[in-house]
Amino acid sequence: MWNVDVRRFAWAQIILLALFVTAATAFAQPGPRGYVDMVYVPQVEKVLMFGGQLDYLAPYRAVGGTWWYDPAQDAWSEVTSEPQPGPRGAAHLAVHDPTGTVVMFGGGVPVEGGFQPFSETWLFDPVEERWSQLSFEEGATPQAEIGEMFAYHAAADLFVLHGGFTLDGMRFLNDTWHFDLGERTWMKVEPATSPPGMNYKAFAYDPRTEQLVLSGGVVEEVDDTWTYDPRDPDWQHHEKLPERRWVDYVRMVYDPNLETLIRFGGTNEDEGVVWSVSEDLEWSLLDIEGASPPQVNRHAMTAVPGLGVLVYGGVYRGQPDFTSDMWVIDTVEGRWEKR
């Protein structure tokens, strides 16, 4: 009888432990962070997020960690396979549409007396759930910088990087680079016309026009709009945006539900303001019902088919630190939802 009771007790402990692990996994999620990026990967119907910065104010700690968000289950799960990129804030993610491979470039960490940016290029396989780092000769990639814009151009099957701020010389850059995933190569291009040096602006691909659209302006100037096609590498300036103050640390994505570009957040933007952008670059305010988040910047943003636009983290105006809030701009129902 005593042995039976011991076995029953042992099995009860095992079951309780299993339930605890299951519950802990189910409720696991990334914590507060800003300077973070995320992308929807259609091949697995999930959103990938990596890294970020824990502190809005000093000591500006960077965080690592790769996370999946499943919109259908409203659940997070952490990818624990090795190797993993080291902790970093302000890295940029973009997904290769044909394969689902996620490309990550840049980011950096705080160091004594400043910030150390990276010029690393990492690839993430969403099926194998594994990261791999590419190796390049010196000078064969964009230089280590802060706040560059990075996006995938589907029609050209190329990734495009533009701008950034270099600590080596303390200046804004207006360099343009292409990354070819198939060839595993970076190439610097020399457009006849380029936007002025800038960083942390909205940058997204519009499949309607097969153009990359850059928006956000320059400090102390009004919002600007530029377009770019790597098949004809020359930037085009447009003046159709309504005149308004400049916006920084802003995000823009293409929403397949409304079939339009959507821009949200940023410093100097009003609370709850959501912009849509037509094919001919006319900007309109979207009417989204319900309580919206406060003015937010330094956030992550991506679009999910059938749902809308996800907004994660960042800092609310007037708050001392980053948040872990997840908001949905439900473009199917036309309302805000907090998850």
Side-chain angles (χ1 to χ4, degrees):
M1 179 64 71
W2 184 81
N3 288 336
V4 172
D5 289 341
V6 169
R7 287 197 296 270
R8 286 176 176 170
F9 178 77
W11 275 111
Q13 294 293 96
I14 292 172
I15 291 171
L16 286 172
L17 179 61
L19 289 172
F20 174 79
V21 171
T22 301
T25 302
F27 290 104
Q29 66 178 60
R33 62 194 64 198
Y35 292 105
V36 60
D37 206 0
M38 62 184 185
V39 290
Y40 177 75
V41 183
Q43 284 76 3
V44 293
E45 298 182 338
K46 293 188 289 188
V47 173
L48 186 78
M49 187 171 77
F50 178 83
Q53 187 170 299
L54 290 177
D55 310 298
Y56 177 52
L57 304 175
Y60 311 116
R61 294 169 296 169
V63 63
T66 305
W67 290 86
W68 281 123
Y69 176 71
D70 185 336
Q73 301 298 320
D74 188 21
W76 290 92
S77 60
E78 187 170 11
V79 176
T80 57
S81 59
E82 295 292 341
Q84 293 256 346
R88 66 197 63 199
H92 292 278
L93 304 176
V95 64
H96 184 244
D97 288 351
T99 64
T101 301
V102 177
V103 180
M104 181 175 75
F105 180 81
V109 295
V111 294
E112 185 176 353
F115 186 81
Q116 176 61 57
F118 301 135
S119 60
E120 298 175 354
T121 305
W122 287 79
L123 307 181
F124 182 79
D125 184 323
V127 177
E128 298 293 329
E129 296 192 340
R130 289 195 176 275
W131 286 99
S132 58
Q133 184 180 2
L134 301 183
S135 298
F136 299 94
E137 295 182 0
E138 186 175 353
T141 69
Q143 68 183 91
E145 52 199 21
I146 301 172
E148 64 277 2
M149 284 69 72
F150 186 56
Y152 175 66
H153 190 288
D157 194 24
L158 290 170
F159 295 83
V160 176
L161 181 147
H162 177 75
F165 182 80
T166 174
L167 299 177
D168 179 12
M170 303 298 288
R171 60 190 176 89
F172 288 100
L173 303 174
N174 69 343
D175 297 343
T176 301
W177 289 77
H178 296 170
F179 176 69
D180 187 321
L181 178 61
E183 298 294 329
R184 303 291 202 269
T185 56
W186 284 96
M187 181 179 69
K188 187 177 181 181
V189 294
E190 301 289 347
T193 304
S194 294
M198 60 180 71
N199 67 349
Y200 293 118
K201 309 305 177 191
F203 194 44
Y205 178 69
D206 189 340
R208 300 170 298 180
T209 60
E210 298 184 349
Q211 297 275 346
L212 287 163
V213 180
L214 186 152
S215 170
V218 187
V219 174
E220 296 180 357
E221 295 186 10
V222 297
D223 255 351
D224 246 347
T225 302
W226 293 80
T227 57
Y228 181 77
D229 187 338
R231 297 169 298 183
D232 181 18
D234 196 16
W235 289 86
Q236 304 294 323
H237 181 247
H238 305 269
E239 298 180 350
K240 290 189 175 183
L241 183 67
E243 282 197 19
R244 49 197 310 281
R245 58 186 182 271
W246 65 274
V247 177
D248 220 345
Y249 299 102
V250 60
R251 293 285 189 172
M252 184 165 62
V253 297
Y254 180 79
D255 174 49
N257 304 314
L258 294 181
E259 298 182 339
T260 186
L261 289 171
I262 289 182
R263 196 183 88 172
F264 173 72
T267 56
N268 287 330
E269 188 58 273
D270 294 328
E271 179 177 318
V273 168
V274 181
W275 290 95
S276 68
V277 188
S278 70
E279 293 180 60
D280 58 358
L281 301 176
E282 293 290 349
W283 293 66
S284 304
L285 289 173
L286 281 179
D287 184 14
I288 308 296
E289 298 181 350
S292 67
Q295 190 268 10
V296 64
N297 59 81
R298 297 165 173 86
H299 52 294
M301 199 164 94
T302 193
V304 176
L307 177 61
V309 176
L310 302 184
V311 179
Y312 186 92
V315 63
Y316 296 139
R317 178 164 49 195
Q319 296 301 306
D321 224 331
F322 293 122
T323 178
S324 60
D325 289 349
M326 167 84 88
W327 291 85
V328 179
I329 307 171
D330 184 337
T331 53
V332 177
E333 300 294 335
R335 60 183 174 82
W336 283 99
E337 175 191 344
K338 187 176 181 181
R339 290 202 165 188

